[in-house]
Amino acid sequence: MTQKPVEKVNLLGLTLPKMEAFFISIGEKKFRGAQMVKWIHQQGITDFEQMTNLSKALREKLKEIAEVRPPRVTFEGDSSDGTRKWLLEVDGGSKVETVYIPDGDRGTLCVSSQVGCSLDCSFCSTGKQGFNKNLTVAEIIGQVFVAARFFGLPVKDSQKRSVTNVVMMGMGEPLLNFDHVVDAMSLMLEDQAYGLSKRRVTLSTSGVVPNLDKLARVTEVALAVSLHAPNDSLRNQLVPINRKYPIHILFDSIRNYLDGLSDKRRVTFEYTMLKGVNDSDELARELSELAKTIRCKINLIPFNPFPGTRYEVSSRNRIYAFQRILLNDGHVVTVRKTRGDDIYAACGQLAGQVADKTKRSSRYIQIQDVTERIQDIPR
Ligand code: SAH
Ligand code: SF4
């Protein structure tokens, strides 16, 4: 009888404590964990043979039982403003998008957490694709690995660093892939790995309250919340999870998160501007009153249309009038910059990449262009 080959452990997805535990479990010293994390994430090395501070015997042992396997890059492309995009194939054959956006001395990487999304926000094309799977830790941190390796390591040298910020704003709802996202973020923050500061890693959520409460107990990364409406009746239509966790419950959970931080930081509210839906002066005034109840800044995002959507983007004048009302009340409000036409052409044309398990996607064909969502992230 032929024996099934033992599945190798993918060391790419192990946090420092888990890497140390792995080495202890194979009879090695704990410090091997930090060595391995550095080889992978700071040197970009995936071949055990090149890990020169490991003995020959250990390298041989590792080859038998382990591997360092990043997601496979199936497409990469630049646009004229320096934005770079990778399409990565993950286990099961689906593809996810990772986008790098340079802006002055900042380089922001927009990372996906799931293939598709189960939450079905009415203006989001990822939601319209339906849900396929949670990404593994290796697939999430693998996006940072691929980008950091492309730009040249080490990333820890702030002069040379190319990926200065990470935002969990790609495909998927990060709080619905909680454990994997938390582990991946821990590698982003880990000094032996990417060493990013907790202010430069942002998790964006549509408001999965119980998991936001859990998050408050395990991390201090920056928080962005997709608000999109200042009252429950409108938010129920745009962000269906609001029916389960309405605004006052969500706000309590955000306050609890902010209170748990060791520094004074604000939540960033994302508010996608939808023509004739959530962009009136009256709603701006309602949003202003709501925003006074919490430490926040507001990021107005022009809606990015996709085929099959019933929404349109608010006019530039409407967006600025909406912003003015909030500014006059003393709020910090940014409007996401619009990008050149070539970006629209280069990105967001990824038809049929999600093998939808919910069958929702039959109505829609495109994946949301994540580059459109991630401007004006807190520095
Ligand atoms: N699931 C998480 C993170 C991914 S979505 C969340 O909802 O926060 C990242 C941001 O893009 C969210 O604020 C989301 O509301 C916004 N977004 C989704 N579709 C959009 C579209 N078509 N145009 C502009 N922003 C969009
Ligand atoms: Fe999912 Fe976020 Fe899109 Fe809503 S906006 S469907 S939570 S990815």
Side-chain angles (χ1 to χ4, degrees):
M1 217 170 74
T2 48
Q3 261 194 327
K4 205 172 155 240
V6 185
E7 206 176 308
K8 293 183 176 178
V9 187
N10 189 359
L11 301 184
L12 182 67
L14 298 190
T15 59
L16 178 59
K18 286 183 181 168
M19 193 73 88
E20 289 169 344
F22 167 77
F23 277 100
I24 291 167
S25 77
I26 61 167
E28 296 288 332
K29 290 261 166 26
K30 183 178 166 191
F31 74 89
R32 295 283 180 210
Q35 281 182 330
M36 182 58 75
V37 166
K38 278 191 191 166
W39 276 120
I40 298 173
H41 299 287
Q42 293 188 358
Q43 305 298 327
I45 302 291
T46 56
D47 177 4
F48 296 129
E49 271 312 309
Q50 292 179 37
M51 301 183 179
T52 45
N53 57 2
L54 308 183
S55 70
K56 177 121 186 64
L58 176 54
R59 296 200 305 255
E60 289 305 319
K61 180 148 87 176
L62 286 173
K63 276 192 250 169
E64 295 289 310
I65 57 171
E67 61 184 349
V68 182
R69 186 167 49 84
R72 196 168 69 85
V73 178
T74 62
F75 168 84
E76 50 193 313
D78 290 307
S79 79
S80 59
D81 67 352
T83 300
R84 186 175 179 84
K85 175 158 157 167
W86 293 265
L87 195 61
L88 302 174
E89 187 178 292
V90 295
D91 289 345
S94 293
K95 309 238 178 15
V96 291
E97 211 179 27
T98 303
V99 180
Y100 175 80
I101 301 191
D103 184 13
D105 57 0
R106 181 167 57 146
T108 302
L109 193 70
C110 180
V111 167
S112 297
S113 57
Q114 300 181 310
V115 182
C117 183
S118 60
L119 290 183
D120 201 15
C121 300
S122 60
F123 55 89
C124 174
S125 68
T126 300
K128 299 301 167 203
Q129 301 276 317
F131 174 73
N132 177 267
K133 73 159 211 148
N134 280 333
L135 296 184
T136 63
V137 183
E139 288 163 348
I140 300 168
I141 201 64
Q143 299 169 58
V144 183
F145 175 90
V146 165
R149 203 150 75 141
F150 171 80
F151 288 112
L153 294 148
V155 290
K156 264 178 70 61
D157 178 343
S158 60
Q159 291 310 107
K160 293 189 200 132
R161 174 143 57 197
S162 52
V163 178
T164 62
N165 295 58
V166 174
V167 292
M168 299 296 307
M169 291 187 186
M171 291 173 77
E173 168 49 54
L175 290 185
L176 289 181
N177 186 10
F178 189 88
D179 293 341
H180 294 173
V181 165
V182 165
D183 272 11
M185 292 193 309
S186 121
L187 279 164
M188 295 170 202
L189 305 181
E190 171 57 58
D191 275 343
Q192 313 288 341
Y194 299 97
L196 294 171
S197 102
K198 60 191 181 197
R199 306 172 71 96
R200 287 170 176 264
V201 174
T202 301
L203 182 142
S204 173
T205 178
S206 57
V208 187
V209 164
N211 292 0
L212 182 54
D213 292 342
K214 245 169 94 180
L215 191 74
R217 296 195 282 274
V218 296
T219 188
E220 292 203 20
V221 297
L223 180 66
V225 172
S226 297
L227 191 60
H228 309 305
N231 60 58
D232 285 325
S233 65
L234 182 55
R235 195 164 189 268
N236 284 346
Q237 294 167 39
L238 301 177
V239 185
I241 197 166
N242 193 71
R243 294 175 205 154
K244 206 160 177 188
Y245 309 113
I247 291 173
H248 74 279
I249 306 247
L250 174 61
F251 270 47
D252 281 347
S253 177
I254 299 169
R255 282 188 203 100
N256 170 58
Y257 188 86
L258 297 179
D259 287 348
L261 299 178
S262 49
D263 51 5
K264 278 230 173 297
R265 262 185 285 162
R266 308 164 196 238
V267 61
T268 300
F269 285 126
E270 297 158 279
Y271 195 102
T272 297
M273 300 298 292
L274 304 165
K275 185 178 189 171
V277 175
N278 65 354
D279 64 353
S280 67
D281 286 353
E282 197 188 339
L283 288 169
R285 285 190 286 271
E286 200 176 344
L287 176 61
S288 178
E289 289 312 308
L290 181 67
K292 285 177 190 167
T293 68
I294 201 159
R295 250 183 8 250
C296 69
K297 41 192 159 186
I298 300 163
N299 187 15
L300 304 178
I301 310 174
F303 170 63
N304 179 39
F306 52 92
T309 181
R310 61 181 184 274
Y311 296 112
E312 288 173 71
V313 60
S314 310
S315 72
R316 191 181 285 244
N317 284 346
R318 181 86 303 267
I319 295 175
Y320 288 131
F322 194 92
Q323 180 189 30
R324 176 56 43 208
I325 290 171
L326 293 162
L327 287 173
N328 286 346
D329 276 355
H331 294 294
V332 179
V333 195
T334 48
V335 179
R336 199 218 68 203
K337 286 176 243 154
T338 33
R339 291 273 184 159
D341 281 344
D342 67 323
I343 312 277
Y344 292 91
C347 312
Q349 307 298 318
L350 315 170
Q353 302 293 356
V354 176
D356 175 21
K357 292 195 169 151
T358 62
K359 300 287 173 259
R360 191 187 298 144
S361 58
S362 52
R363 287 173 285 151
Y364 296 88
I365 56 161
Q366 282 190 317
I367 289 177
Q368 171 68 40
D369 177 357
V370 293
T371 60
E372 301 309 313
R373 305 176 183 172
I374 60 172
Q375 321 279 315
D376 306 316
I377 302 307
R379 279 178 186 255

